[in-house]
Every structure is written in C-alpha cells, then in structure tokens.
Amino acid sequence: MWFSSFFRKDTRELVALVDIGPSSCGGAIVRYEEGKRPHILWIGERVEIKNSSSRDTVYKATANLLEEMSAECRIRGFSTPTHVSCALSPTFYSGKTECVQKRFDSPQEITQKLLDTLARDVIQEAGKDFVLIDEQITRVRLNGYTMKSPLGKKAAQIDLDFYWSAAPRTFVDMVRACIHSAFPRSTIELHTFSFLSFIILRDILHEEVEFISLTISPDTTTVSLVRAGRLISIFSYPFGQRMLVSLVAEELRTIPEESEVILRLYGENKVTDDIRARVRRACIPAETQWRKRLLEILEAASFQSSLPQKLFILGEAGQMALFKEFISGLDAAHLTLRTQPFSCQTIPLPVLAAYVDESPNALAKRDLFLLLESIAFSRIHAKKNI
C-alpha cells in the first residue's frame, strides 16, 4: 500500500533505488527534499544476471549490487537510506485487469469501503504462493455507466475493473532478504516497472487520457493501455533493445558497444546513407517478429472497443527511432477505427531528465529505468516536487 506521508521532520530523505531485470540489475542513491526535484547522487554499474530463471543467480547479482550501494553510502558519508525501493521487470511478476460485478436488491450508496471489499475479493485469487505488488481500480460503472467519481452515488449494480500484479512469494522473500541484509534499518517496498512507467506517463502527459504506451527495455517490450486516465491493461513480451544491438553488431561486424553507438547516431540522423541502409536491413527479421507480436496484443486489447490512436514510446533514443519506424508500417486502422495510422511520439531521456537533478556521476551513467524510478517514487509518495 502507498504511504500517506513520506517526508518527516527532516525534509531531506535518502532513498536507495534498485531495478531487477531479466539480464541485469541496477541501483541508484537519490535524495528527496520537499519542494525540490529528486537529486540522483550516484548510479552504479549494472550487474549482469546470467540466468534470470535461477533464483541463486538473481540473488547473487542483486546482493553484489546492494553491497556496492551500501559501501558507497559509507564512503560518501551518506546517511542510511530511509527506504529501499525495488522495481521488478515483467519477467518476475504477472499482472492483469479483473472485472467484478455486484448486484443489489435495492440501490446502495457506493463507498470506498465497498470498492475496497470488491477489490480485496479479487486479490485473494492470487493465492498464498503469491504476493501483491501493485494495485489500482481502473474503472467503475454504475448501472452500466462509467463514473469518474462514483463515491456517494447510488446504484443497483456496480461493475469494477481492477488492475493488480503479483510475484511468487519465494522470489519476493528472496529479494526482501537480500535488501534487508544490506540495509537492515530501511523500509522496503516493491513495485512493478510497468506500473511505475504508467505513473510517469500519466503525470507527464496529464492532458492525455486515452493512449497506448510502449516501454522498451533491453529484453522486453511492455504495452500499456490507458483509458480515462487509468491503467486498463498491461502486456509484455520478450523482445527489446538488445535484439537490435545484436543484429546490427552482426551486420557491421563490430562489438555490441560499438553497435549501441551506431544506433544512437542512427536515431540522431548522424550516420551515412550506407550505414543507415545496412542497419535497416539488419533489423528486418526483428521488425517482422516484433510487429507481429505487437499486433496480436493490440488485437486482443481491442476486443471490446477500439484503441486510442495516440501511442507513446519510452526507451533509449537510438532504438526508439527504429521502433517508431517499425510502428509506421503497422496496419492498425481496424483497431483504431480511423483511416490514419497510430500517432506515434517518442519520449527521449532528455525529456525525463528535466524532472530530476543529477550529479556528475549520475549524468555520466544516465539510466532510463533508474531515472523513471526516481521520478515515480516521489509521485507514489504524493510529493510532487517537479
């Protein structure tokens, strides 16, 4: 559950942020001060996870990262973090939107207690082997009509859409034990990266209430559908930036690090026509596969109603240019019921970076996912310092 208050008498709080993905984990130390933007003080080198299906491998990588973070706090003379916030990639959790319907013999007043009770019934379906991570009521319909403010109204029937995510208890216990070992006095909280991305998009794009977002990580693509400003559904599939880096490196006979530079320059339109053509040729197999899977997800999401036309992409700048090109060739008129294709817009790192302050170390190691997490943490704790 979210905290009603985060900042105590001392208006400055130190927080350790961790993200665990299928191939690596990363960490940052961030200072939060009431009335100011989050200040990213330090970002560590990402630690490789060689086999995310192995509990021991994930534990060892996370433990090594946290040990480095703990040592960094001591070296720099930082106080002990009050919180450790850990974001999980879709590899480690499942999320879905459930629909609950309740009929009454006579019209009943809709209260927060009633909504919480209906939502709690859904959560119990996760079972004792899973732990709830994030939750949100995404839509309430009274007597068949969608209501943005249902509290206090009366209805004989209520339909509730409720998004929730859960992770295996054994995995959550492992992560918590690992964090507690490094920071025994810190409050621990877990979130899903998909939900954090939604929080950022919701606040940055506050004028947009109907859209699709794609968050493209090194190993996965996460598709989120937002209606009326609420997260309706999330889908993820194992295909991300790393695939493009590998294909381009193979085509140009170079190393992955060089391939990443070429992709960044590609996105900035700073490559020769020959290199541009070779990059596009190398990515054709990935484009076909990625677009096919995306189309399947969008078709499933449009089963009950047409999709929003606006689509936003979060990811590294170079790869975003390619994924945007992939989407431009997507035949989705039957999904949006419009003759125009998706209106696609990218949200590059500099846009997000304007919402935080960064130390020289953090600036040199700027990390999309830790950047998102640092902004989302203050949003979750209801302190909008931006």
Side-chain angles (χ1 to χ4, degrees):
M1 295 295 178
W2 300 352
F3 299 100
S4 59
S5 177
F6 167 53
F7 297 96
R8 293 190 276 274
K9 291 181 180 179
D10 183 356
T11 60
R12 299 199 307 173
E13 297 280 355
L14 204 66
V15 176
L17 303 180
V18 178
D19 75 80
I20 304 178
S23 62
S24 68
C25 56
I29 299 172
V30 184
R31 179 187 294 132
Y32 293 87
E33 186 170 358
E34 192 168 5
K36 295 185 178 181
R37 295 179 296 189
H39 186 180
I40 304 177
L41 302 173
W42 175 86
I43 291 179
E45 297 289 346
R46 297 195 73 85
V47 179
E48 181 183 3
I49 298 176
K50 295 182 178 180
N51 179 11
S52 62
S53 61
S54 167
R55 181 173 175 270
D56 290 340
T57 302
V58 175
Y59 181 89
K60 184 178 296 185
T62 306
N64 289 341
L65 172 69
L66 288 164
E67 183 178 343
E68 180 188 5
M69 295 175 70
S70 179
E72 196 66 29
C73 284
R74 293 193 299 271
I75 293 171
R76 292 173 177 262
F78 293 153
S79 59
T80 300
T82 57
H83 288 68
V84 178
S85 176
C86 180
L88 305 177
S89 82
T91 305
F92 302 110
Y93 68 87
S94 59
K96 58 181 177 179
T97 296
E98 298 275 9
C99 301
V100 183
Q101 185 180 88
K102 179 73 173 180
R103 296 176 183 269
F104 306 101
D105 294 334
S106 60
Q108 299 289 315
E109 181 178 351
I110 307 303
T111 64
Q112 188 62 53
K113 182 178 180 180
L114 173 60
L115 297 179
D116 290 343
T117 299
L118 294 175
R120 195 177 302 115
D121 292 340
V122 173
I123 294 171
Q124 289 176 352
E125 296 179 11
K128 62 181 181 180
D129 295 331
F130 288 83
V131 175
L132 181 71
I133 305 296
D134 287 314
E135 58 179 294
Q136 185 195 47
I137 295 173
T138 58
R139 180 168 58 178
V140 177
R141 283 168 290 178
L142 303 182
N143 298 329
Y145 295 94
T146 298
M147 295 288 174
K148 292 185 178 181
S149 303
L151 298 182
K153 296 181 172 62
K154 291 188 176 182
Q157 177 179 314
I158 178 172
D159 294 272
L160 184 72
D161 292 350
F162 181 74
Y163 171 79
W164 60 281
S165 59
R169 184 174 296 277
T170 53
F171 176 78
V172 171
D173 289 345
M174 179 270 291
V175 172
R176 287 185 173 277
C178 193
I179 295 173
H180 182 74
S181 178
F183 298 103
R185 295 195 298 275
S186 302
T187 300
I188 301 170
E189 57 183 87
L190 272 64
H191 297 287
T192 63
F193 193 78
S194 303
F195 194 70
L196 297 184
S197 298
F198 161 70
I199 290 172
I200 299 300
L201 286 169
R202 179 194 63 189
D203 287 0
I204 292 179
L205 309 173
H206 56 87
E207 295 181 356
E208 304 290 346
V209 294
E210 305 272 339
F211 61 87
I212 299 167
S213 74
L214 303 181
T215 303
I216 303 172
S217 73
D219 298 290
T220 61
T221 294
T222 301
V223 186
S224 302
L225 174 61
V226 176
R227 294 188 186 278
R230 291 183 176 273
L231 181 64
I232 300 299
S233 55
I234 292 179
F235 307 86
S236 294
Y237 57 103
F239 193 115
Q241 303 165 6
R242 204 180 304 276
M243 177 70 77
L244 301 187
V245 172
S246 176
L247 289 171
V248 171
E250 182 178 353
E251 167 68 24
L252 300 180
R253 297 182 180 180
T254 187
I255 58 176
E257 290 79 7
E258 182 69 22
S259 175
E260 290 178 353
V261 172
I262 291 170
L263 283 169
R264 188 185 73 245
L265 294 175
Y266 179 98
E268 297 172 354
N269 291 317
K270 294 180 180 178
V271 295
T272 64
D273 291 342
D274 176 63
I275 293 295
R276 177 170 292 276
R278 292 178 68 183
V279 167
R280 286 299 283 123
R281 181 169 65 245
C283 292
I284 288 176
E287 177 180 4
T288 303
Q289 181 184 347
W290 182 83
R291 204 158 56 183
K292 178 183 177 182
R293 187 70 186 98
L294 176 63
L295 188 59
E296 291 173 350
I297 287 175
L298 294 178
E299 287 176 339
S302 66
F303 178 73
Q304 291 183 325
S305 61
S306 61
L307 296 179
Q309 189 182 15
K310 292 187 177 181
L311 188 150
F312 297 92
I313 308 177
L314 279 171
E316 296 293 344
Q319 288 90 331
M320 280 197 295
L322 274 167
F323 283 109
K324 187 175 180 179
E325 291 176 11
F326 294 172
I327 292 170
S328 66
L330 189 67
D331 182 12
H334 63 295
L335 303 178
T336 61
L337 300 184
R338 293 178 175 85
T339 56
Q340 301 91 348
F342 282 116
S343 172
C344 185
Q345 179 179 337
T346 59
I347 302 179
L349 277 176
V351 171
L352 296 173
Y355 289 81
V356 301
D357 293 325
E358 299 170 279
S359 69
N361 161 275
L363 185 61
K365 297 181 180 179
R366 184 179 281 172
D367 185 296
L368 170 68
F369 307 106
L370 292 169
L371 188 60
L372 284 170
E373 192 177 356
S374 67
I375 302 170
F377 184 87
S378 60
R379 304 289 186 164
I380 287 175
H381 288 271
K383 293 294 181 181
K384 300 191 175 182
N385 307 320
I386 298 172

